[in-house]
Amino acid sequence: MAKKSVVFFCAICFLAGNAGASFFVIDPLIPLALTVLLSLGYLIFRRPWVLLIASLALGIFCWQQAVSQPRPPIPTYPLALSGEIVFVESKINRQLVTLLVGEGDLASYKILLYLDRYPEYRPGQTLAVKCRLERPTPIEDFRYDRYLALSQIYYLCYRPQTITLLPAQTWRYWLFQIKIFYSNSFNQSFPEPEATIARAMMLAERKELSQDLNTQFSRAGLSHVMAISGMNMTLLVGALQAVALALSWKRSFTLGLALTVLSLYIVIIGFQASAVRAAVMAGILLLSQVVHRQYDPWYVLIVVAAILTAINPLSLMYDIGWQLSFLALAGLIFWQQRFERWLGFLPVAFGCRSVAAASLAAQVFTWPLLVYYFQTFSTIFLLTNVLALPAVDIIMVFTLVAPFIWWLPVIGVVIKTGILFLLRWLLTVCTVGSSLPFAAVSVVRLAFFWYLLVYFSLIIITWYVTRKKTT
Amino acid sequence: MLLAKKRLSSIILVGCLLLAILVLLAPPIHWPSRPKLLEVTVLDIGQGDSIFIRTPDGVTILVDGGRDNQVINRLADVIPWWQHKIDYLVSTHSDLDHYGGLEGVAQKYQIGEFWYNGDESNKATSYQSLLASLKQKQIPLRVIRQGEEFHWPSGVILHWLWPVAIKDGERNEGSLVGRLSWGAQDVLLTGDLPSEQEQLILASGQIVEAEILKVGHHGSKNSSSADF
């Protein structure tokens, strides 16, 4: 087996081990010992399959190690804590504030505080609270504890008794001002619900959307536009590549542009972990196509996914944004060019056809996962996505730069109106689409096996289509 | 064949553009043809009160903002997208289910004036944050007292029936109570006023007759007494 193939299959085994380990509990020392022994065995026997099993065991070890680390016990009395706010998630009715404790037994642990919607707290501010801590627990079949563990949060506080904002501020505070600048710009420039939609798409502030609107987006098969910033980034990269190809831009210029856009996006989103993971994947994939063109993009995708999983072992199973961006990238790799051929009836101008093809290709592998999470299957998702996603791409590119120039007398007004126009278009596609009686079918949450079966079928179809082309 | 394909492509492109322009421009074109009436909309904001008023001459008043930012989504149903101003923001009293969403509204819309009962004794961080935010934006704060009356050119009158004065720590007792009148139609807005204060309003001899009553304190047994 070629060295390249060994690395590829090792990465797959590592990911399989990591995913599989989420279904059982064992002492992490067992897979660790197995990994060490098999690695030594490989050095002696030089058989690639030994390495594959070692990778599988390593995947299991990483997961088990992440979920079984001992944490300080929770005191029964209210605890006075102070620390830096590292993340704030604003919901329609409250704020979820992540506090990095600065001192005491819980120093350097993160605590999730449930606070009133106002006053608004910012990352980088220093907060002192007195509260009774709780451990996160699963909510029905949702492993809330593990979802929070993904962000290294192991303690909750629902109602802090006293809250004092201390004067100290760190670099995070100043960095977060960029996000606030964008948020305020959208808020003041667009009406509702367009402003909230823009904030959800660009700043991942999706929790401020009303329940009605969430349902409409879900029925129209457009939840991913609002829900997950990682997938939006993937779509954006796909669209940029498509436009570059259509307009014959230089490869290096396209790469530079895409990487700049991705970097800007990460900064304005406030270095949100899932977005960073998605951007790293998209960025490395782009880079690999320019620097080492002999590498199969599929190979790069899997290897990078394994590395990112090794960094945060819970991300593979619990980071929805990253899961979707991974699947969207896979869709782009295998299906974009085919869709472009099938969509021959669409105009080529301004990369319209290419953008529509990229939008559709991104859906091929993501729709089963969206059905799994949102429990709604939109029967019109193909149509709504073709109509809406090109607008989403343009909105994302323009809103990155627009707030800096829309104070300009004419150009500013034109751009602002243009973005509003596209947001309204997106909303219209969503509301009209979701109002159709046959727009969506509610799906009961099927056993995990059925989703695996769907993915297996999709992989077989993709393999068949790809094979057909090469023979 | 190629020509026909190109033609189809152009038709699709132009069609999409026209449709999109129609989507954007239809509401502002249709808006002026609406009948000029006094509109009073009770917003569905979950827990709490929030009532949006638009007079026939276009003056907008928001009485209370519910508990959270749901009010912003509901306001989008009654304020067209090209309007960014609410003339008067009213907080009947300092309970979270009445003022909770007002800070978000003040962030989103330009506010002409803020009307309240003058009670700043509520030390809840969210209430202090609202007041601080309004002052920082230099929005005029007007303390409302019994007997004050506002007239608009369209003939709409808002007469405030309560409070006379405010004591620290008394929240519901200091609720603003207003009677909105237009022609023969009157709407009575009562905040969370308890029965005892309703009796005092009756005793003051002010007219409380109205075609529409917003029941006090969300229909609590301690409000909307039989006499009232």
Side-chain angles (χ1 to χ4, degrees), chain A residues 238-261:
Chain A
L240 271 174
Q241 275 188 313
V243 173
L245 204 68
L247 301 179
S248 310
W249 289 350
K250 274 187 178 172
R251 208 175 244 270
S252 53
F253 174 74
T254 315
L255 174 76
L257 186 67
L259 290 179
T260 309
V261 168

Side-chain angles (χ1 to χ4, degrees), chain A residues 98-135:
Chain A
T98 308
L99 189 75
L100 180 67
V101 181
E103 53 196 28
D105 291 345
L106 292 172
S108 77
Y109 277 96
K110 288 180 187 170
I111 293 169
L112 188 67
L113 307 170
Y114 281 66
L115 301 175
D116 280 340
R117 184 61 187 78
Y118 294 99
E120 292 184 315
Y121 296 100
R122 312 285 192 216
Q125 288 179 321
T126 307
L127 200 65
V129 292
K130 192 172 182 189
C131 57
R132 197 179 287 275
L133 296 182
E134 291 178 35
R135 279 211 195 280

Side-chain angles (χ1 to χ4, degrees), chain A residues 316-338:
Chain A
L316 183 67
M317 293 303 284
Y318 292 105
D319 188 343
I320 309 166
W322 186 52
Q323 289 165 356
L324 283 173
S325 62
F326 174 83
L327 294 170
L329 272 176
L332 288 178
I333 292 167
F334 288 112
W335 288 95
Q336 185 170 354
Q337 286 180 0
R338 272 167 197 81

Side-chain angles (χ1 to χ4, degrees), chain A residues 91-94 116-122 163 184 186-196 199 208-210 212-213 344-350 352-353 387 417 420-421 424-425 428, chain B residues 5 8-10 12-13 16-17 19-24 27 67-70 72-74 76-77 79-84 96 100-105 107-109 125-127 129-130 137:
Chain A
K91 290 189 165 196
I92 202 159
N93 57 351
R94 64 165 77 105
D116 280 340
R117 184 61 187 78
Y118 294 99
E120 292 184 315
Y121 296 100
R122 312 285 192 216
I163 307 165
N184 289 344
F186 298 154
N187 221 7
Q188 281 151 19
S189 307
F190 303 132
E192 289 298 338
E194 285 84 349
T196 309
R199 290 207 309 276
E208 298 228 37
L209 282 176
S210 69
D212 298 348
L213 210 53
F345 58 92
L346 287 179
V348 193
F350 310 111
C352 279
R353 187 191 299 168
L387 290 173
T417 314
L420 176 63
F421 183 93
R424 196 142 271 270
W425 170 252
T428 308
Chain B
K5 216 171 180 181
L8 181 65
S9 298
S10 311
I12 291 173
L13 194 67
C16 282
L17 273 174
L19 187 65
I21 289 168
L22 196 71
V23 165
L24 194 71
R67 197 182 173 82
D68 51 44
N69 276 355
Q70 286 193 57
I72 296 174
N73 292 317
R74 294 283 76 86
D77 301 334
I79 300 180
W81 59 261
W82 59 92
Q83 285 183 8
H84 300 279
L96 184 65
L102 293 180
E103 187 166 345
V105 174
Q107 278 177 5
K108 176 78 199 172
Y109 294 94
T125 49
S126 49
Y127 189 63
S129 169
L130 167 68
K137 287 180 202 299

Side-chain angles (χ1 to χ4, degrees), chain A residues 363-384:
Chain A
Q363 303 294 315
V364 173
F365 292 111
T366 49
W367 70 263
L369 197 70
L370 288 165
V371 170
Y372 176 72
Y373 282 120
F374 297 101
Q375 289 172 37
T376 303
F377 178 71
S378 172
T379 54
I380 53 165
F381 83 98
L382 276 177
L383 179 68
T384 49

Side-chain angles (χ1 to χ4, degrees), chain B residues 159-228:
Chain B
H159 178 84
W160 291 106
L161 306 167
W162 193 260
V164 178
I166 287 291
K167 288 180 196 160
D168 279 0
E170 287 187 345
R171 292 202 203 152
N172 293 343
E173 293 81 350
S175 262
L176 298 186
V177 176
R179 185 166 172 265
L180 185 72
S181 308
W182 189 52
Q185 301 294 314
D186 307 281
V187 183
L188 196 59
L189 307 168
T190 56
D192 277 0
L193 196 76
S195 304
E196 200 180 317
Q197 281 66 33
E198 289 173 357
Q199 299 303 321
L200 293 174
I201 292 177
L202 288 177
S204 70
Q206 298 176 97
I207 301 167
V208 295
E209 173 275 328
E211 280 64 41
I212 299 167
L213 167 70
K214 199 294 289 182
V215 291
H217 207 177
H218 324 283
S220 155
K221 63 178 180 182
N222 299 321
S223 295
S224 309
S225 57
D227 292 347
F228 190 66

Side-chain angles (χ1 to χ4, degrees), chain A residues 66-82:
Chain A
V67 295
S68 64
Q69 273 186 4
R71 324 268 173 225
I74 291 180
T76 50
Y77 50 87
L79 208 60
L81 300 162
S82 66

Side-chain angles (χ1 to χ4, degrees), chain A residues 244-447:
Chain A
L245 204 68
L247 301 179
S248 310
W249 289 350
K250 274 187 178 172
R251 208 175 244 270
S252 53
F253 174 74
T254 315
L255 174 76
L257 186 67
L259 290 179
T260 309
V261 168
L262 284 178
S263 313
L264 270 172
Y265 200 71
I266 292 173
V267 170
I268 67 162
I269 221 167
F271 285 94
Q272 212 166 308
S274 70
V276 172
R277 273 191 280 273
V280 165
M281 284 194 56
I284 288 179
L285 193 73
L286 275 172
L287 210 59
S288 73
Q289 286 173 353
V290 173
V291 181
H292 290 291
R293 283 189 215 174
Q294 73 272 28
Y295 284 124
D296 191 342
W298 187 226
Y299 168 86
V300 177
L301 195 66
I302 292 288
V303 173
V304 174
I307 294 169
L308 291 175
T309 306
I311 294 168
N312 190 338
L314 299 185
S315 57
L316 183 67
M317 293 303 284
Y318 292 105
D319 188 343
I320 309 166
W322 186 52
Q323 289 165 356
L324 283 173
S325 62
F326 174 83
L327 294 170
L329 272 176
L332 288 178
I333 292 167
F334 288 112
W335 288 95
Q336 185 170 354
Q337 286 180 0
R338 272 167 197 81
F339 274 113
E340 213 155 314
R341 280 206 297 277
W342 294 339
L343 295 174
F345 58 92
L346 287 179
V348 193
F350 310 111
C352 279
R353 187 191 299 168
S354 309
V355 172
S359 309
L360 279 179
Q363 303 294 315
V364 173
F365 292 111
T366 49
W367 70 263
L369 197 70
L370 288 165
V371 170
Y372 176 72
Y373 282 120
F374 297 101
Q375 289 172 37
T376 303
F377 178 71
S378 172
T379 54
I380 53 165
F381 83 98
L382 276 177
L383 179 68
T384 49
N385 276 280
V386 168
L387 290 173
L389 290 189
V392 170
D393 291 326
I394 302 167
I395 292 167
M396 288 185 72
V397 172
F398 275 91
T399 40
L400 264 183
V401 287
F404 295 100
I405 52 170
W406 60 33
W407 53 271
L408 290 171
V410 181
I411 302 168
V413 174
V414 169
I415 289 179
K416 200 192 288 186
T417 314
I419 294 172
L420 176 63
F421 183 93
L422 291 170
L423 284 165
R424 196 142 271 270
W425 170 252
L426 171 65
L427 194 64
T428 308
V429 171
C430 173
T431 45
V432 172
S434 65
S435 66
L436 298 172
F438 54 86
V441 180
S442 285
V443 181
V444 286
R445 186 163 280 186
L446 298 170

